[in-house]
Amino acid sequence: MVTIIFFLVFAISVLLLSALFFVSRIKPYCECEICKGYLSSSWSLEFKNLCDWYSHLLKKSPSGTIHVHVLGNVITANPKNVEYMLKTKFENFPKGKQFSTILGDLLGRGIFAVDGELWNFQRKMASLELGSVSIRSYAFEIVGDEIRNRLIPLLESNQNGSVLDLQDVLRRFSFDSICKFSFGMDPGCLKLSLPVSDLQVAFDLASKLSAERAMTVSPLVWKINRALNIGSEKQLKEAIKMVDILAEEVIKHKRKNNFSSQNDLLSRFMRNIDDDKLLRDIVVSFLLAGRDTVASALTTFFWLLSQHPHVIDEIRAESSRLMGETEKATLATFEEIRKMHYLTAALHESIRLFPPIQFDSKFCQEDDILPDGTFVAKGTRVTYHPYAMGRMESIWGQDCLEFKPERWLQDGVFKPQCPFKYPVFQGGVRVCLGKDLSIVEMKSVALALIRQFDFQVVAKDDTPKFMPGLTATVRGGLPVMVQERW
């Protein structure tokens, strides 16, 4: 009884304090069309995805910026604003305590949830490790091994008209690969039996429920549920506990063995960090970044290829020029991958239209004015929207909705675009350190599958419908039929 009364008093205290904070900073109701559309979900009558509605609103805005007052959120697709946030006034647009509160239970003090000195420390360490030739070679070997020994055999065994969820396969592939790379641990998700991994299930659930926190108009509900340990917050706590237990077991095992001679990220970080909790947070952050983003990007890439078979022909022709008509299951070398400009262009074009991270938010530290003239009050959430930016005629021209790899080529050579008009890997000080590794991984997977298999997408929707989450996941997966070309 005493425990129940304590929790009730605690919950009421949290409710009152949070309510005062919320009302003092955010208008709880607004009559503007955007806020009414958001609160009533009337946007869903015309658009499949919230990000498509935001894209529509941002296109109509003369400045490329809108306000969602009930969320206390300024959303922009203006490249000048993005550069201002990520580079010019970087210090005034940190992740912020609000972001850390939402994702802190899962990511802890990991690089994606912190600012200041702790972020700087992790950034420098990660930059040194991910930039080394040895870690890049190690990652390339892991990806090649997973493709050769699991991904291709799995697809070979699922032919003769059987339907396979390619999104699920790619998520399993990337989870195996990133666990090997980050922990030196093999969850075996892509074995022929497609086993269930406790870590994968717990990690997926924790990511999903953490993202749902950010979708609520007010944080009151999830904070009260967390205080009372009920509902989705109880599920989240249990899922994170499972991730913690498995991570702790891996760290203990490495401490007992000679981790100094191992090449995975955790072992490398352990040479400089003694804090096991921080080690857990760092590696879980890399797990989140390296798993879901790669699988998401590849899923929509293959969906786009199903609608543009001429792009497949171009990729195959390019690879044949560089590799020849080799035997099946022969993977490209790193040097061959590097020279495939059309494949690089096709992947970047796919990510332009369907970025794995559809939007990213910062919190304004002090009153500021964006380059387009938008006033941003202290504490306001400011979101830049790569998904919408890929659909802006003002940025990409009248053919912005078309899938055209050629827009990335100049005399047949891949030419990168300004990161502030294409911020899918962020830009400025926080630019993604794993960008090159992820591009090589995606190119390796895509090339291996395109050369050896034909894919027929069973459900050809005009627009993928995405599930709410930290990364873009296609609702219902990507059902395909697979047929070997040889």
Side-chain angles (χ1 to χ4, degrees), residues 76-79 82 385-392 395-396 420-421 423:
T76 187
N78 188 320
V82 177
H385 210 290
Y387 183 95
M389 293 178 75
R391 288 159 171 72
M392 299 288 282
I395 299 176
W396 298 99
F420 305 113
K421 67 180 258 187

Side-chain angles (χ1 to χ4, degrees), residues 150-295:
R150 286 187 180 160
L151 182 57
I152 288 177
L154 176 67
L155 295 178
E156 287 176 332
S157 68
N158 280 271
Q159 298 187 72
N160 303 317
S162 60
V163 176
L164 190 68
D165 181 0
L166 187 59
Q167 177 172 253
D168 178 58
V169 170
L170 293 169
R171 285 169 65 83
R172 288 172 177 271
F173 168 86
S174 56
F175 195 70
D176 277 359
S177 299
I178 197 63
C179 281
K180 290 178 183 178
F181 179 69
S182 298
F183 286 108
M185 179 190 74
D186 180 11
C189 296
L190 202 57
K191 292 179 180 178
L192 288 178
S193 61
L194 297 179
V196 176
S197 162
D198 290 340
L199 177 58
Q200 183 186 24
V201 172
F203 192 77
D204 284 349
L205 182 59
S207 299
K208 173 180 175 291
L209 296 178
S210 294
E212 287 179 0
R213 285 178 170 181
M215 299 293 291
T216 57
V217 173
S218 167
L220 296 180
V221 176
W222 71 259
K223 284 186 176 181
I224 292 172
N225 286 346
R226 182 174 65 173
L228 297 175
N229 195 31
I230 59 175
S232 61
E233 286 298 313
K234 180 179 181 180
Q235 290 180 291
L236 177 59
K237 184 178 180 180
E238 292 170 350
I240 291 174
K241 183 178 180 181
M242 175 65 73
V243 173
D244 289 346
I245 290 171
L246 293 172
E248 184 180 339
E249 289 176 355
V250 172
I251 292 171
K252 282 184 177 179
H253 177 74
K254 285 189 175 294
R255 290 230 181 265
K256 291 179 181 178
N257 294 280
N258 187 20
F259 65 82
S260 61
S261 63
Q262 298 174 34
N263 289 320
D264 58 273
L265 270 184
L266 175 59
S267 296
R268 288 168 176 265
F269 285 140
M270 287 176 71
R271 297 165 196 168
N272 299 297
I273 300 175
D274 293 325
D275 184 341
D276 285 359
K277 179 63 171 66
L278 180 58
L279 284 168
R280 174 266 180 210
D281 295 344
I282 292 173
V283 178
V284 166
S285 292
F286 278 98
L287 203 63
L288 177 68
R291 180 272 178 98
D292 290 341
T293 52
V294 168

Side-chain angles (χ1 to χ4, degrees), residues 51-52 55 292-298 300-301 304 347-360 384-391 396 421-426 442 466 469-474:
C51 55
D52 289 313
S55 299
D292 290 341
T293 52
V294 168
S296 172
L298 285 171
T300 46
F301 182 57
L304 281 168
L347 271 169
H348 279 77
E349 177 70 348
S350 173
I351 298 171
R352 177 183 73 84
L353 290 168
F354 296 107
I357 308 295
Q358 295 176 338
F359 60 89
D360 189 28
Y384 66 93
H385 210 290
Y387 183 95
M389 293 178 75
R391 288 159 171 72
W396 298 99
K421 67 180 258 187
Y422 181 75
V424 298
F425 295 100
Q426 295 209 47
M442 288 186 284
F466 298 103
L470 299 176
T471 53
T473 302
V474 178

Side-chain angles (χ1 to χ4, degrees), residues 77-208:
N78 188 320
K80 292 182 179 179
N81 290 346
V82 177
E83 182 174 9
Y84 189 77
M85 293 166 57
L86 299 183
K87 182 182 177 182
T88 310
K89 290 292 288 289
F90 168 75
E91 296 297 335
N92 199 37
F93 293 92
K95 281 290 185 181
K97 292 182 179 179
Q98 298 94 324
F99 183 88
S100 299
T101 301
I102 292 171
L103 293 181
D105 290 338
L106 174 60
L107 299 182
R109 294 175 291 161
I111 190 170
F112 302 118
V114 295
D115 295 298
E117 291 184 8
L118 188 54
W119 172 80
N120 233 342
F121 167 71
Q122 293 181 56
R123 176 83 179 182
K124 288 178 181 177
M125 276 192 56
S127 180
L128 285 172
E129 296 297 351
L130 295 179
S132 70
V133 174
S134 60
I135 198 71
R136 289 170 184 253
S137 298
Y138 178 66
F140 193 68
E141 289 173 10
I142 288 173
V143 169
D145 180 71
E146 192 75 9
I147 293 172
R148 186 182 297 106
N149 297 320
R150 286 187 180 160
L151 182 57
I152 288 177
L154 176 67
L155 295 178
E156 287 176 332
S157 68
N158 280 271
Q159 298 187 72
N160 303 317
S162 60
V163 176
L164 190 68
D165 181 0
L166 187 59
Q167 177 172 253
D168 178 58
V169 170
L170 293 169
R171 285 169 65 83
R172 288 172 177 271
F173 168 86
S174 56
F175 195 70
D176 277 359
S177 299
I178 197 63
C179 281
K180 290 178 183 178
F181 179 69
S182 298
F183 286 108
M185 179 190 74
D186 180 11
C189 296
L190 202 57
K191 292 179 180 178
L192 288 178
S193 61
L194 297 179
V196 176
S197 162
D198 290 340
L199 177 58
Q200 183 186 24
V201 172
F203 192 77
D204 284 349
L205 182 59
S207 299
K208 173 180 175 291

